[in-house]
Amino acid sequence: MNWTWKGKAWVFGDDISNDDGIMPLAMTRQQEYDPGVLATHCFEQIDPLFAGSANPQDFVVAGKNFGHGNPHIQGFLGLKGKGVALLVESMGRGPLRACVNAGVPVIQVPGITANCARGDVLEVNFETGTIHNHTRAIALQAEPLAPVMRDIVAAGGGILHMVQRLAD
């Protein structure tokens, strides 16, 4: 997997909840787990343009406490289906684990929302934690995605990683 991505920033604020933030709760109640189906509903209650306009290797840039609330996987599977990565100021342990288990690259970057606006072109190396905002000529450094987490994301998520390890 190529760990250096370049794409557009989609900026959101603090306290974006999992249910009715990342993904409508209705998708959880319908027990939908197909990333392709879920991708069409990402952030529809916050930014109706996101699902139809975000491209693979774009970045969801969010503030503090991203993905809080119930530990449903649908929101993160939808982000996987869109092919986007996350750059967040902070997120709890549960949402972080759900994100990685869904197969979504993520880095926690304190101060990212103050250094990024919607549409900025970012280049991120998930192995080193370097973030370059080409639009603003800013470079940031964050703690990189841990190797074991990169392995899970590279495998396509937690279940596929486990299957891969059992096959080895």
Side-chain angles (χ1 to χ4, degrees):
M1 180 170 186
N2 180 7
W3 290 109
T4 301
W5 287 25
K6 188 173 183 179
K8 184 170 57 168
W10 293 84
V11 181
F12 297 91
D14 294 337
D15 296 312
I16 301 297
S17 64
N18 189 3
D19 294 336
D20 293 333
I22 304 170
M23 183 64 54
L25 181 58
M27 301 310 293
T28 299
R29 290 187 175 137
Q30 292 172 25
Q31 296 186 6
E32 181 61 62
Y33 293 97
D34 181 336
V37 171
L38 293 167
T40 65
H41 296 280
C42 287
F43 298 110
E44 72 181 14
Q45 294 165 298
I46 298 171
D47 183 353
L49 298 177
F50 177 85
S53 302
N55 294 307
Q57 294 202 359
D58 277 355
F59 300 94
V60 170
V61 177
K64 298 176 179 130
N65 202 27
F66 183 80
H68 68 86
N70 290 315
H72 301 133
I73 194 74
Q74 282 81 0
F76 296 106
L77 287 174
L79 296 175
K80 177 184 179 179
K82 283 302 299 173
V84 298
L86 288 174
L87 303 174
V88 300
E89 299 226 7
S90 68
M91 64 192 312
R93 183 179 65 185
L96 177 62
R97 293 177 102 175
C99 182
V100 170
N101 280 325
V104 178
V106 57
I107 296 181
Q108 295 188 73
V109 189
I112 187 69
T113 57
N115 290 289
C116 189
R118 182 178 179 158
D120 284 1
V121 175
L122 307 179
E123 187 171 348
V124 177
N125 184 314
F126 289 94
E127 289 181 302
T128 65
T130 57
I131 298 106
H132 294 280
N133 184 328
H134 292 290
T135 304
R136 296 172 180 235
I138 296 171
L140 299 170
Q141 182 64 48
E143 196 66 34
L145 191 58
V148 68
M149 292 180 165
R150 285 196 311 268
D151 290 346
I152 294 167
V153 170
I159 292 172
L160 294 172
H161 181 256
M162 182 177 62
V163 168
Q164 186 178 65
R165 288 197 58 189
L166 289 172
D168 292 343

